[in-house]
Amino acid sequence: MWLKPEEVLLKNALKLWVQERSNQYFVLQRRRGYGEEGGGGLAGLLVGTLDAVLDSTSKVAPFRILHQTPDSQVYWSIACGSSREEITEHWNWLEHNVMKTLSVFDSNEDITSFVQGKIRGLIAEEGKGSFVKEEDPEKFREGLMKFEKCFGLPEQEKLVTYYSCSYWKGRVPCQGWLYLSTNFLSFYSFLLGAEIKLIISWDEISKLEKTSNVILTESIHVCSRGEDHYFSMFLHISETFLLMEQLANYAVRRLFDKETFENDLVLHDPLQITKRGLESRAHSEQFSAFFRLPKEETLKEVHECFLWVPFSHYNTHGKMCISENYICFASQDGSLCSVIIPLREVIGVDKGDAANRGVSISTKGKTAFRFTEVRDFEQLVAKLRMKCNATSSPQHINTEVAASSTSDSPKDFDAGPSKMGQRDNSKTVGTEALMTVYHPQDAENLDSKMLKEKMKEQSWNILFVERGHGVSMFRTKKTRDLVVRGIPEALRGELWLLFSGAVNVMASNPGYYTELVEKSLGTCTLATDEIERDLRRSLPEHPAFQSDTGISALRRVLTAYAYRNPQIGYCQAMNILTSVLLLYAKEEEAFWLLVAVCERMLPDYFNRRIIGALVDQAVFEELIRVHLPQLTDHMSDMTFFSSVSLSWFLTLFISVLPIESAVNVVDCFFYDGIKAILQLGLAVLEYNMEKLLTCKDDAEAVTVLNRFFDSVTNKDSPLPPAVQQGSSLSDTKSDHPKVDITDLIRESNERYGDIQYEDVESMRCRNRLYVIQTLEATTKQNVLRVVSQDVKFSPGDLEELYELFKKEHFLSCYWNVNSPVLQHHDASLPYLDQYRIDCQQFRVLCHLLSPWSHCANRDSLALWTFRLMDESSDCLINFKQFACVFDTMYNGSFTDKLKLLFKLHIPPAFTEVESLSPSKGGDLSKEELIHFSQLSGKGKVDIQAYLKQWQDELLKKEENIKDLPRMNQSQFIQFSKTLYNLFHGDPEEELLYRAIAVVTSLLLKMEEVGRRLQSPTSPVKGPVAITEVPAEIPRKGQEESSSEQTEGSRAQSLRGNHEWSFAFEQILASLLNEPAFVRFFEKPHDIKVKIESAKNLQLKARIRV
């Protein structure tokens, strides 16, 4: 590798380097101890230790080239290499391309300048195609070279960053370097001759957390395959942990979660991942989640500043965050003040007083936001003005609609979409919330509950006057207090839309929903069938869903969403949530609220494996351990909380609480996100703590909680008694004390309000790894249980084979962006079909594991074996097929193994194979292998007839060997070649060659006699030649070509006659008479040895391929 020229003090370096070559202008040196027997003694060990610990060029490579000029004591390092071949290549290049040119210069200064310029040019040329985009390219290139040298991973493996740290081996810390790449966590240390090399793939990590104990003040704990690893002494441990967390989660999502992966452009091309990009992405994700903005928003700038709060008459300190379409502010002084200003609403950006570096932003709602103490405020004003001009021009129509209004209320957005999408849809898409249709408020006859409702509305109206109305309102502690008390019925839909951020997405997609309804209505899919089945199970007691109006609206929203997001489609619980949304929001608003919940607020909740809900359950269990330890001490199994709370998370308590109480929970959820559900869950458990501690089993505990939920009421609910679910229970269960939902929510905020949003997100990341690995362990257990019934491998060996099989699947996904294997991975498939491999991957495993892998035509054998197993002809096989064929090779009887070889040489497995590169012999390229694996057959062979004949055998039923198809002439020749190749190198090689020659001769004679008996009058040409061919037996020690010549001459002599064919029973009977042959196939092989070797060589085998 060429290096940026740097001065080297040769005087102090002589003890560390040994000179190997030199000329007038260059010196090639080798690191002392490298390549010497015994490591170069004590000096070599010390140098090796320094190389591992110190962060310098010298630690990187064992070879280097220095530039020198005559009569000068100054040397310049210009190249280094990890191997003698690499450094020699650089040396030869210098001699051929630079040395001759240097003689024309007059001064040493000119020579040095020329060499330095040339080297910098080479580095620049190399950098054009590289992925190195870090802050210090030179230092990063050094780290990259050390990474490649130490671990030998493929060139496509993208190093993201590296850190100096200590790895704890027992109680001893080993100082070294931690390398974080797209697919692996790697560590290298070399101390006084002791080398530690660790490679852990991200997809194997089940636990990743920051820990501390007596010995380690702060460390990072990594658990992989049941082994614990601890890393400490980082300079910036939080930064390191965040990057490790991101890389682990990205790898897991890319490999296990096909649905998320397909929608993520960054994950789709892991080669583009950089440290800076990861940090930027983390900040953007945190920003968009905190302010409930569309996921596409990217955080561009952050400015510390003060915001003038007019209703409190003071400046609050915080951060202004700017993205493509929004200006947001969050206070950091405990006032819980935040503001979201969409650029579409901005009508002016002005500079304030230069003394206090002010920026003033005016919006259509006649509100001005005054920011002060903004660094580079003049540049910021210019940027914001450009952004506002760019944002307002494409949405000119929308601007006119909202210009006359005084707020950015959702009502303003309804006019645009409904006009644009009127046509025939005005009759289908509902324009009113169902609650206003079925429970209109009587303004004249107000009872006590309605009066309280009006007082709530008045409180909100006062808040709107003080703090603004619409997207750009000030959100403060008072806003949360009003949400906790319950949002008034009349404002609920509007404020849900506002607090969830759905209002922003709806504003930028006018007419989208009506178009979606047009496209989706009438479609027939699995999702629409499930929707139809569940329509009348959604709040069936509510009159809105006892009529066609409510049912039709629910059908349109759910069908439109399934059409929009086929990855999710429809999931149970979505109907319950959507029905509540339709009660309080207009139909289009309910659709966008559903989008916000499914795609942003509850990610991965509504896919096939409900991973998001399982992750939040794990977070909930973690919070129970922290806040309710006495409950965890009493419960022997924490899975109880998971089984009980699943519906709480999936339906936001709607399925367990009366509807009039559940809507208050939904209020808090849209304001505080999942944090509100976690807090309420803890409050419910604490409220029932005494009763739960006396429960003897899970059933009793479930009964306690169900009775509690039935007793929860909402004394201020204005809903009619006929609709309220809690009212019907008031008489029957009067012995149970009533609990008001407002009090319960307020208590949950007071007791658990200190749970931070950032902590919840961190716990989500941490538990996601655990949840997915648990699901993977379940998949493995189910696969092994099914396969173990059909094979004779021990449970341990079978599990190791499964891990190798799955690892090979993943290795194809690591460096291939468009891997067909990754595209076929679908967690919703049956367990056996979740992981499948193609012919190329099978060849790698076959070479590593097969007892016949030494065979000269092993590629052809692997190909035919794969074609035999590929019953569905989709060029993929599952683990059961894989394990069964290896079980035959290792544990099958003589007849089983011979039958397998026989099948490999007749269709559909057999196909003529010839490499396009004769120099490769029997080896096939990847392209050739894939091509041959996709061929359906040879000649006029009826594949379906063969498959029908073998159907019973494939189903593991007893088969009569007489039913096997006959082997024709060309197939028998190839079968004989394969046997010759299998015997090569065996201790009884000569006996085996003689045996196969005798058997071949005997079979041909038998066939000849049979043909004469069938047609005695027909002349037969060359019988002597046919029978004499087998006498040409290749002796032990001769070249393999002799056997090929034998087969070739036999084939030539047979071509003059009609096609020969042999039955399996003929071949079996002939071979049973040869003891050497029987001994060869009954010789036991230890698969454990092969498995251990494969575990060490699998990654290297993939690199070679």
Side-chain angles (χ1 to χ4, degrees):
M1 181 177 77
W2 300 107
L3 299 175
K4 181 181 176 183
E6 287 184 359
E7 281 192 39
V8 175
L9 293 175
L10 204 60
K11 182 179 178 182
N12 298 327
L14 287 175
K15 294 179 182 178
L16 302 178
W17 293 92
V18 179
Q19 185 168 307
E20 293 218 331
R21 290 193 195 180
S22 66
N23 58 37
Q24 190 177 2
Y25 299 107
F26 301 103
V27 178
L28 191 158
Q29 295 180 329
R30 172 178 52 81
R31 192 73 164 160
R32 188 177 295 278
Y34 184 84
E36 298 178 24
E37 292 186 13
L42 181 59
L45 289 178
L46 289 171
V47 171
T49 301
L50 285 172
D51 290 348
V53 174
L54 297 180
D55 183 12
S56 64
T57 307
S58 62
K59 76 171 178 61
V60 172
F63 296 96
R64 71 177 182 181
I65 296 175
L66 305 179
H67 163 60
Q68 63 172 352
T69 52
D71 305 323
S72 172
Q73 296 298 314
V74 178
Y75 287 75
W76 299 83
S77 64
I78 59 171
C80 64
S82 57
S83 65
R84 194 179 296 276
E85 293 76 17
E86 182 186 0
I87 205 69
T88 303
E89 184 182 339
H90 285 358
W91 179 266
N92 292 337
W93 188 90
L94 289 170
E95 285 191 330
H96 290 102
N97 296 280
V98 179
M99 281 291 292
K100 296 175 183 178
T101 310
L102 296 183
S103 59
V104 304
F105 292 101
D106 296 328
S107 66
N108 291 343
E109 290 77 8
D110 292 342
I111 292 173
T112 302
S113 298
F114 175 79
V115 171
Q116 290 180 355
K118 194 71 178 174
I119 299 303
R120 288 194 176 97
L122 290 171
I123 293 172
E125 194 64 32
E126 282 180 354
K128 285 182 181 178
S130 75
F131 295 118
V132 178
K133 296 177 182 176
E134 301 300 325
E135 294 172 1
D136 188 348
E138 282 301 318
K139 187 176 178 183
F140 190 80
R141 286 173 82 246
E142 292 176 15
L144 178 61
M145 188 172 180
K146 178 73 178 288
F147 172 70
E148 291 172 348
K149 172 199 164 191
C150 290
F151 304 105
L153 296 170
E155 293 179 1
Q156 303 98 309
E157 181 62 15
K158 173 75 167 59
L159 177 64
V160 176
T161 190
Y162 62 100
Y163 299 96
S164 171
C165 70
S166 290
Y167 171 65
W168 289 79
K169 199 169 183 182
R171 291 181 170 270
V172 180
C174 303
Q175 186 66 26
W177 293 88
L178 180 72
Y179 297 88
L180 307 182
S181 58
T182 48
N183 298 297
F184 299 97
L185 176 157
S186 312
F187 177 83
Y188 182 81
S189 173
F190 182 88
L191 292 171
L192 299 178
E195 184 182 56
I196 296 175
K197 190 183 293 185
L198 187 70
I199 303 178
I200 302 172
S201 55
W202 294 115
D203 56 83
E204 293 176 348
I205 293 177
S206 57
K207 185 180 286 186
L208 181 63
E209 61 183 355
K210 279 198 292 186
T211 60
S212 59
N213 54 38
V214 178
I215 300 175
L216 305 176
T217 52
E218 259 193 319
S219 64
I220 295 175
H221 172 211
V222 177
C223 181
S224 169
R225 293 185 176 229
E227 293 184 17
D228 293 311
H229 307 276
Y230 292 89
F231 303 90
S232 68
M233 300 186 189
F234 291 95
L235 190 60
H236 304 291
I237 191 168
S238 297
E239 173 196 300
T240 309
F241 180 74
L242 177 63
L243 284 171
M244 290 171 71
E245 202 172 52
Q246 283 182 286
L247 286 167
N249 275 288
Y250 288 169
V252 162
R253 285 165 65 187
R254 183 161 57 89
L255 299 171
F256 294 110
D257 193 356
K258 177 185 171 188
E259 298 166 0
T260 308
F261 167 76
E262 288 179 341
N263 296 324
D264 197 315
L265 296 177
V266 175
L267 294 182
H268 201 66
D269 189 1
L271 297 179
Q272 299 303 321
I273 292 177
T274 62
K275 177 186 173 185
R276 191 182 303 167
L278 287 173
E279 291 171 346
S280 173
R281 184 184 172 97
H283 293 146
S284 293
E285 287 176 348
Q286 188 178 2
F287 161 73
S288 57
F290 183 83
F291 291 106
R292 307 283 164 73
L293 301 178
K295 288 195 293 186
E296 300 78 31
E297 289 299 311
T298 304
L299 182 61
K300 298 295 185 184
E301 296 180 56
V302 179
H303 299 271
E304 279 206 33
C305 61
F306 289 87
L307 172 64
W308 173 248
V309 184
F311 49 86
S312 298
H313 304 289
Y314 80 103
N315 281 308
T316 180
H317 176 255
K319 289 185 177 179
M320 180 201 298
C321 304
I322 301 170
S323 66
E324 294 95 332
N325 301 297
Y326 297 89
I327 303 168
C328 303
F329 176 87
S331 65
Q332 294 184 298
D333 56 7
S335 63
L336 301 179
C337 176
S338 64
V339 171
I340 301 169
I341 310 171
L343 291 180
R344 65 176 183 271
E345 292 297 306
V346 175
I347 57 175
V349 180
D350 301 301
K351 283 189 287 187
D353 186 4
N356 57 20
R357 295 179 292 178
V359 177
S360 180
I361 299 173
S362 306
T363 64
K364 295 172 187 173
K366 297 181 180 178
T367 306
F369 298 91
R370 221 168 63 202
F371 299 92
T372 54
E373 301 302 325
V374 183
R375 184 183 297 177
D376 300 326
F377 73 103
E378 292 180 344
Q379 294 178 15
L380 180 61
V381 167
K383 287 179 188 175
L384 291 178
R385 282 175 177 168
M386 288 178 63
K387 277 180 175 286
C388 292
N389 292 334
T391 307
S392 59
S393 53
Q395 295 184 354
H396 183 64
I397 299 172
N398 222 28
T399 303
E400 290 183 354
V401 174
S404 60
S405 68
T406 58
S407 71
D408 192 6
S409 164
K411 298 171 185 175
D412 303 327
F413 298 121
D414 189 56
S418 61
K419 287 178 183 175
M420 294 180 71
Q422 270 181 355
R423 297 192 296 277
D424 299 330
N425 277 65
S426 57
K427 296 179 182 178
T428 56
V429 176
T431 56
E432 287 188 290
L434 295 177
M435 195 63 77
T436 61
V437 177
Y438 288 90
H439 307 296
Q441 294 185 7
D442 188 352
E444 295 180 1
N445 302 314
L446 296 178
D447 57 14
S448 60
K449 290 185 177 180
M450 285 305 301
L451 284 172
K452 283 186 178 179
E453 187 73 4
K454 289 296 179 185
M455 289 172 65
K456 276 188 185 178
E457 286 184 35
Q458 190 60 30
S459 299
W460 277 96
N461 288 330
I462 293 169
L463 184 83
F464 294 150
V465 171
E466 284 184 356
R467 291 160 169 76
H469 191 180
V471 179
S472 302
M473 68 183 292
F474 282 87
R475 305 173 197 210
T476 62
K477 188 176 182 298
K478 187 173 180 180
T479 315
R480 175 182 272 110
D481 292 341
L482 288 179
V483 171
V484 168
R485 286 171 54 190
I487 297 174
E489 303 273 311
L491 296 174
R492 189 161 265 143
E494 175 187 339
L495 292 176
W496 282 358
L497 207 66
L498 195 68
F499 295 144
S500 66
V503 64
N504 295 312
V505 188
M506 190 172 83
S508 56
N509 291 278
Y512 176 84
Y513 175 67
T514 50
E515 290 176 14
L516 211 57
V517 169
E518 283 183 356
K519 294 175 183 176
S520 62
L521 279 181
T523 57
C524 187
T525 62
L526 180 62
T528 56
D529 291 344
E530 292 177 349
I531 289 168
E532 288 299 325
R533 191 170 60 247
D534 287 347
L535 282 176
R536 299 190 182 276
R537 302 176 187 172
S538 312
L539 296 187
E541 67 286 340
H542 199 286
F545 298 101
Q546 294 168 1
S547 69
D548 187 57
T549 306
I551 294 293
S552 297
L554 184 59
R555 178 187 291 113
R556 285 192 295 273
V557 172
L558 290 174
T559 306
Y561 186 77
Y563 188 87
R564 165 193 165 87
N565 192 340
Q567 280 83 14
I568 291 178
Y570 171 77
C571 178
Q572 282 190 332
M574 285 172 69
N575 60 320
I576 297 173
L577 176 61
T578 308
S579 57
V580 172
L581 298 178
L582 281 167
L583 288 177
Y584 294 98
K586 298 171 187 177
E587 190 175 314
E588 182 180 8
E589 295 172 353
F591 169 79
W592 288 114
L593 282 168
L594 183 64
V595 170
V597 171
C598 294
E599 297 176 15
R600 285 192 292 108
M601 300 186 73
L602 297 179
D604 298 335
Y605 259 61
F606 300 100
N607 56 22
R608 294 180 181 89
R609 297 199 290 177
I610 59 171
I611 289 175
L614 297 176
V615 168
D616 281 344
Q617 282 185 300
V619 172
F620 186 52
E621 287 181 16
E622 197 171 327
L623 290 171
I624 293 171
R625 291 189 191 97
V626 174
H627 295 279
L628 305 172
Q630 60 272 48
L631 197 57
T632 54
D633 292 342
H634 175 73
M635 292 288 180
S636 57
D637 187 4
M638 289 292 285
T639 55
F640 162 75
F641 298 111
S642 298
S643 58
V644 158
S645 65
L646 182 60
S647 63
W648 303 358
F649 291 97
L650 281 172
T651 66
L652 307 179
F653 283 93
I654 295 170
S655 62
V656 292
L657 286 174
I659 182 65
E660 65 275 12
S661 300
V663 290
N664 284 38
V665 179
V666 179
D667 293 342
C668 297
F669 168 74
F670 280 126
Y671 192 84
D672 272 331
I674 193 63
K675 178 173 171 282
I677 305 300
L678 294 168
Q679 289 176 181
L680 185 61
L682 291 171
V684 167
L685 293 178
E686 186 185 18
Y687 193 94
N688 294 278
M689 177 81 74
E690 292 182 7
K691 292 180 181 177
L692 290 173
L693 291 176
T694 59
C695 291
K696 297 175 182 176
D697 55 34
D698 291 354
E700 195 176 340
V702 170
T703 304
V704 167
L705 291 174
N706 285 340
R707 285 182 178 171
F708 170 77
F709 286 130
D710 289 340
S711 71
V712 176
T713 62
N714 186 351
K715 62 179 185 294
D716 295 333
S717 174
L719 293 179
V723 176
Q724 291 192 30
Q725 297 172 347
S727 59
S728 60
L729 302 165
S730 57
D731 298 328
T732 57
K733 295 185 180 175
S734 55
D735 58 321
H736 202 287
K738 300 297 176 188
V739 180
D740 188 68
I741 187 64
T742 308
D743 296 335
L744 189 62
I745 291 174
R746 184 183 294 113
E747 189 173 336
S748 73
N749 267 279
E750 290 172 357
R751 288 185 175 274
Y752 307 109
D754 58 340
I755 296 173
Q756 298 297 313
Y757 161 80
E758 294 81 4
D759 296 335
V760 172
E761 287 303 308
S762 177
M763 285 189 280
R764 272 179 160 180
C765 282
R766 184 164 64 246
N767 284 287
R768 186 181 184 85
L769 296 174
Y770 167 75
V771 165
I772 288 183
Q773 293 296 352
T774 303
L775 292 173
E776 287 300 305
T778 303
T779 299
K780 179 171 77 172
Q781 289 166 7
N782 283 285
V783 170
L784 295 180
R785 188 179 68 249
V786 170
V787 176
S788 62
Q789 299 170 7
D790 297 321
V791 298
K792 297 174 184 176
F793 288 125
S794 68
D797 290 344
L798 193 62
E799 184 175 353
E800 293 283 8
L801 282 174
Y802 178 83
E803 292 295 345
L804 286 168
F805 181 89
K806 180 178 167 184
K807 187 70 176 177
E808 191 59 36
H809 169 98
F810 281 159
L811 285 172
S812 295
C813 306
Y814 283 169
W815 304 294
N816 189 350
V817 176
N818 297 312
S819 170
V821 182
L822 187 60
Q823 291 166 9
H824 283 90
H825 175 234
D826 188 346
S828 66
L829 291 172
Y831 289 121
L832 270 174
D833 293 329
Q834 286 189 19
Y835 294 111
R836 298 189 292 170
I837 59 175
D838 62 17
C839 192
Q840 163 63 16
Q841 296 164 302
F842 177 74
R843 173 172 67 171
V844 173
L845 289 175
C846 209
H847 290 180
L848 292 171
L849 294 169
S850 172
W852 304 334
S853 58
H854 63 279
C855 187
N857 63 334
R858 61 181 189 168
D859 278 0
S860 300
L861 271 182
L863 169 66
W864 298 330
T865 308
F866 180 86
R867 286 169 58 87
L868 179 65
M869 291 184 291
D870 184 17
E871 300 162 20
S872 56
S873 299
D874 59 357
C875 300
L876 293 168
I877 62 168
N878 62 31
F879 178 69
K880 183 177 181 180
Q881 296 162 326
F882 172 84
C884 286
V885 77
F886 276 96
D887 185 60
T888 302
M889 293 179 187
Y890 278 94
N891 303 317
S893 63
F894 171 79
T895 305
D896 292 333
K897 293 176 183 178
L898 193 64
K899 185 166 66 175
L900 173 62
L901 280 171
F902 183 87
K903 287 181 180 181
L904 296 183
H905 292 83
I906 57 176
F910 181 76
T911 183
E912 293 288 351
V913 175
E914 186 175 348
S915 175
L916 299 178
S917 305
S919 60
K920 290 185 177 180
D923 293 342
L924 299 174
S925 69
K926 179 179 177 180
E927 292 72 21
E928 290 167 347
L929 195 71
I930 298 298
H931 167 71
F932 288 128
S933 70
Q934 294 171 346
L935 294 178
S936 57
K938 190 78 175 173
K940 298 181 179 179
V941 176
D942 186 355
I943 301 297
Q944 294 303 319
Y946 277 108
L947 291 174
K948 190 172 186 304
Q949 283 179 313
W950 289 352
Q951 187 174 7
D952 290 343
E953 196 275 335
L954 292 172
L955 294 172
K956 295 296 177 188
K957 294 179 181 177
E958 288 297 323
E959 128 183 297
N960 189 334
I961 58 175
K962 294 181 180 179
D963 296 334
L964 284 170
R966 293 176 71 86
M967 182 180 280
N968 68 26
Q969 173 183 312
S970 63
Q971 294 161 2
F972 180 73
I973 292 170
Q974 185 59 59
F975 177 73
S976 302
K977 280 185 181 180
T978 299
L979 291 178
Y980 275 119
N981 289 329
L982 279 177
F983 302 149
H984 184 65
D986 191 86
E988 295 186 314
E989 182 177 0
E990 191 169 342
L991 279 176
L992 289 165
Y993 280 159
R994 288 181 177 278
I996 191 60
V998 169
V999 168
T1000 306
S1001 176
L1002 178 62
L1003 286 169
L1004 289 169
K1005 285 179 180 178
M1006 289 168 57
E1007 184 64 20
E1008 182 60 36
V1009 170
R1011 288 173 59 78
R1012 284 178 176 175
L1013 289 173
Q1014 287 178 4
S1015 53
T1017 58
S1018 61
V1020 179
K1021 298 180 181 179
V1024 179
I1026 297 169
T1027 54
E1028 287 177 354
V1029 167
E1032 300 177 21
I1033 304 167
R1035 302 296 176 187
K1036 188 172 183 178
Q1038 288 183 339
E1039 294 294 323
E1040 291 182 21
S1041 59
S1042 60
S1043 64
E1044 293 176 7
Q1045 289 168 4
T1046 303
E1047 298 301 336
S1049 60
R1050 183 179 302 136
Q1052 194 172 1
S1053 64
L1054 289 173
R1055 284 195 194 99
N1057 304 310
H1058 297 288
E1059 284 284 327
W1060 300 86
S1061 67
F1062 299 98
F1064 175 70
E1065 56 186 339
Q1066 289 177 290
I1067 297 174
L1068 176 64
S1070 302
L1071 292 176
L1072 281 171
N1073 290 323
E1074 299 295 330
F1077 206 96
V1078 176
R1079 282 196 302 272
F1080 176 83
F1081 278 102
E1082 289 189 343
K1083 189 189 306 178
H1085 296 278
D1086 187 4
I1087 196 171
K1088 285 185 171 61
V1089 176
K1090 284 281 190 180
I1091 288 174
E1092 284 304 313
S1093 172
K1095 284 159 69 175
N1096 296 325
L1097 298 175
Q1098 189 176 22
L1099 190 56
K1100 293 178 182 176
R1102 166 62 56 179
I1103 294 166
R1104 285 198 299 272
V1105 170

